[in-house]
Amino acid sequence: MQYQNENFNGILDYRSRFHNDFLVGMHLHEYSEVLYCQNGEGTVTVNGKQIRSYRRQFVWLPPNYVHQFDFQNAEVICAVFSNDLIPLFFQQLAKKRLVVTALEAGNLHPILAGLHQLKKENYVLISGYLNLIGAKVLAQSQLEAATQSDFPLYQKVITYLAEHYTEDITLSTLAQLFGYNEKYLSHALHTLTGIHFRQFLTFYRVNHAKQLLQSQPDRSIAEIAMHSGFAAMNTFQRAFKDVCGITPSEYRKNIRK
């Protein structure tokens, strides 16, 4: 999993592309995002929950939700944009947390299908379209109570994890490093994403282990576990299967086929 720093702290920033076979691993960013399935179907995994999206459905992703895309043999349009383009959306959202789901495009199909054709400098039109989409999201989605979190702190924590996940990291050491109460830091991370600190760390370590299993086929699984930050083999085996659905040995066999 990675924190996409290029999608952070922008002003009137917008980018959108049309994709065939859209596969993106687990990541998060400070920008908002819309994914429109124009043809075919696929899965968006958001904070550990899998959401199936079909033709002419879209998924709206708020800032800092952990997500990944699996749209093989599908045509999708993905737009990522800074949050200052949709201030009214966040005013309406207030202190609520959006429950992400796939929504029918309906009469918004022409707008969603044309997101990748919008010129970045035409931010007034972009803002108008995004707020129309956001209005439908607010009208048709569930909202749940949430408290505000420290976004700059959150980015610092994720960036630190991305650089040090193979080391012996605990929530306590992170709290001391950034000068926050341990319980507050734990609550802030979980409130924002629905994922606990230990899960974040596990995602990074398992993804690193997957890379080693692919790039170093002669290296033992025990060595890979150790170099990915796991202190015990049984912990590694359990964590890998929880994230990938198969054991490290099975994953390696599938690579070799």
Side-chain angles (χ1 to χ4, degrees):
M1 187 179 67
Q2 64 170 330
Y3 194 105
Q4 294 184 340
N5 288 300
E6 70 272 19
N7 295 326
F8 175 75
N9 205 29
I11 298 173
L12 300 177
D13 194 6
Y14 175 87
R15 62 186 73 96
S16 181
R17 292 182 61 188
F18 174 88
H19 301 271
N20 277 307
D21 297 327
F22 191 47
L23 300 171
V24 181
M26 200 169 295
H27 65 285
L28 69 164
H29 42 72
E30 192 240 5
Y31 283 11
S32 298
E33 187 168 8
V34 173
L35 182 113
Y36 180 51
C37 183
Q38 186 162 284
N39 279 301
E41 62 185 74
T43 300
V44 183
T45 302
V46 183
N47 292 340
K49 175 187 174 183
Q50 289 191 341
I51 300 168
R52 200 69 182 166
S53 179
Y54 299 92
R55 181 176 182 269
R56 292 205 174 187
Q57 288 187 333
F58 72 97
V59 176
W60 178 286
L61 294 157
N64 291 301
Y65 279 43
V66 179
H67 57 285
Q68 66 183 71
F69 302 118
D70 186 353
F71 282 81
Q72 298 184 58
N73 303 315
E75 297 177 352
V76 301
I77 295 162
C78 184
V80 184
F81 45 92
S82 57
N83 301 316
D84 57 347
L85 286 166
I86 50 169
L88 296 176
F89 176 85
F90 289 106
Q91 285 182 27
Q92 291 294 309
L93 196 60
K95 293 184 178 180
K96 298 291 185 179
R97 178 180 170 82
L98 182 72
V99 178
V100 178
T101 187
L103 299 173
E104 298 293 336
N107 60 4
L108 291 179
H109 165 69
I111 291 176
L112 289 158
L115 287 176
H116 64 296
Q117 298 175 332
L118 296 174
K119 301 294 184 181
K120 182 178 178 179
E121 59 271 16
N122 198 351
Y123 55 84
V124 175
L125 180 62
I126 290 171
S127 178
Y129 283 169
L130 292 176
N131 277 290
L132 282 172
I133 300 168
K136 183 162 188 169
V137 171
L138 290 172
Q140 297 188 5
S141 300
Q142 286 185 315
L143 302 177
E144 56 188 17
T147 58
Q148 290 185 339
S149 295
D150 189 333
F151 284 87
L153 169 65
Y154 179 76
Q155 190 208 15
K156 290 177 185 177
V157 169
I158 298 301
T159 300
Y160 186 85
L161 285 179
E163 295 173 350
H164 300 276
Y165 59 84
T166 60
E167 302 171 12
D168 183 17
I169 301 175
T170 66
L171 186 62
S172 176
T173 57
L174 272 182
Q176 292 178 18
L177 178 66
F178 293 109
Y180 277 78
N181 176 273
E182 183 177 342
K183 288 184 178 179
Y184 171 81
L185 180 58
S186 175
H187 178 73
L189 290 173
H190 186 261
T191 297
L192 192 59
T193 67
I195 293 179
H196 293 285
F197 161 77
R198 182 55 56 180
Q199 290 175 287
F200 274 116
L201 193 55
T202 297
F203 286 143
Y204 277 113
R205 289 174 171 173
V206 168
N207 282 334
H208 183 68
K210 287 168 64 178
Q211 293 172 13
L212 293 180
L213 287 166
Q214 293 179 47
S215 63
Q216 301 180 21
D218 297 326
R219 198 170 194 178
S220 72
I221 290 178
E223 284 183 307
I224 287 174
M226 181 182 67
H227 284 278
S228 299
F230 292 95
M233 268 296 290
N234 60 340
T235 304
F236 173 57
Q237 296 274 7
R238 184 171 58 251
F240 195 97
K241 190 166 186 179
D242 285 345
V243 174
C244 302
I246 57 176
T247 66
S249 297
E250 291 169 335
Y251 183 82
R252 174 170 272 175
K253 286 179 182 177
N254 291 338
I255 295 171
R256 291 172 174 170
K257 288 181 180 179

